[in-house]
Amino acid sequence: MDGTLVDTEHTWLRCVAGLLFEYGAPATADDITAAFAGLPLSRAAELMADRTGRPAGVLARRLHRVFTSSIRTGLAIRPGALRLLDQAAELGMPVALVTASEREVADLVISQLGADRFLLTLADGEASRSKPHPDPYLAACLGLGVAPADSLAVEDTPTGVTAALTAGCRVLAVPSVPGVRRGPRTVVVASLTEVDLTDPDLMAADPD
């Protein structure tokens, strides 16, 4: 969701950076991106607690409020995202939304994208473990009634790509941060506007 369907990943990183600065632990943009991109709120708060010495619970509540407030004021849908969802519907492909964001944040985004576009949605805390563990994708595949090997996960961060590949899914990556590489079961594109779901390379065992 964040960074693939909507442009919230950079908003998230700016919120993290602002709070780290406020609590006396400033970091470079590259450091924040490498450490916090794609993480669920609870894990991000734990890392921030390590850096600031403040309680993780306090940081989680602050980060949640700041991030939620930021996305309420305006949400940019990523280029090609709605077209891709519409093509999936036309082809009869069931779609699940799998996000490391909390349910409140997910519902804010889903309400703008259209809840009818998704057969299933999974937010942080709704699988036994969050990304980068495979559990959210495994739960989504189970809910859709499809095998992971027959599924295509759309991801934008190394954390999300790791979760999807470990689950056994194939990956369509549209990187919003550095560190995502093409490879076995992973196709990398610059934008979702380039994607055609009928392209056989998307489901190839080892994309060229």
Side-chain angles (χ1 to χ4, degrees), residues 98-99 122 126-143 148 151 153 155 158-169 171 185:
V98 179
T99 179
L122 276 169
E126 295 174 358
S128 54
R129 296 177 299 177
S130 296
K131 300 175 185 179
H133 298 290
D135 305 47
Y137 278 111
L138 292 173
C141 289
L142 182 64
S151 304
E155 275 291 353
T159 299
V161 170
T162 296
L165 289 176
T166 305
C169 302
V171 174
R185 294 186 292 129

Side-chain angles (χ1 to χ4, degrees), residues 104-150:
E104 180 182 353
V105 174
D107 285 344
L108 281 172
V109 173
I110 292 165
S111 67
Q112 298 194 47
L113 294 174
D116 59 329
R117 296 180 185 275
F118 308 99
L119 186 62
L120 170 72
T121 64
L122 276 169
D124 182 41
E126 295 174 358
S128 54
R129 296 177 299 177
S130 296
K131 300 175 185 179
H133 298 290
D135 305 47
Y137 278 111
L138 292 173
C141 289
L142 182 64
L144 294 178
V146 297
D150 295 328

Side-chain angles (χ1 to χ4, degrees), residues 166-193:
T166 305
C169 302
R170 300 170 192 278
V171 174
L172 168 63
V174 53
S176 65
V177 296
V180 177
R181 296 176 177 84
R182 68 186 289 122
R185 294 186 292 129
T186 305
V187 173
V188 179
V189 296
S191 168
L192 292 180
T193 59

Side-chain angles (χ1 to χ4, degrees), residues 28-117:
T28 66
D30 288 345
D31 177 32
I32 291 170
T33 297
F36 293 93
L39 289 187
L41 177 70
S42 57
R43 181 59 183 146
E46 290 172 357
L47 292 182
M48 293 174 70
D50 291 341
R51 295 181 181 215
T52 64
R54 301 298 181 100
V58 172
L59 293 167
R61 289 190 290 272
R62 284 291 315 279
L63 183 54
H64 174 73
R65 287 198 298 270
V66 171
F67 180 56
T68 303
S69 176
S70 296
I71 65 173
R72 284 185 194 277
T73 60
L75 192 65
I77 298 175
R78 297 289 294 165
L82 295 183
R83 182 194 62 80
L84 190 72
L85 291 170
D86 289 343
Q87 186 183 29
E90 291 168 2
L91 295 170
M93 294 180 176
V95 177
L97 184 144
V98 179
T99 179
S101 288
E102 293 184 303
R103 173 51 63 180
E104 180 182 353
V105 174
D107 285 344
L108 281 172
V109 173
I110 292 165
S111 67
Q112 298 194 47
L113 294 174
D116 59 329
R117 296 180 185 275

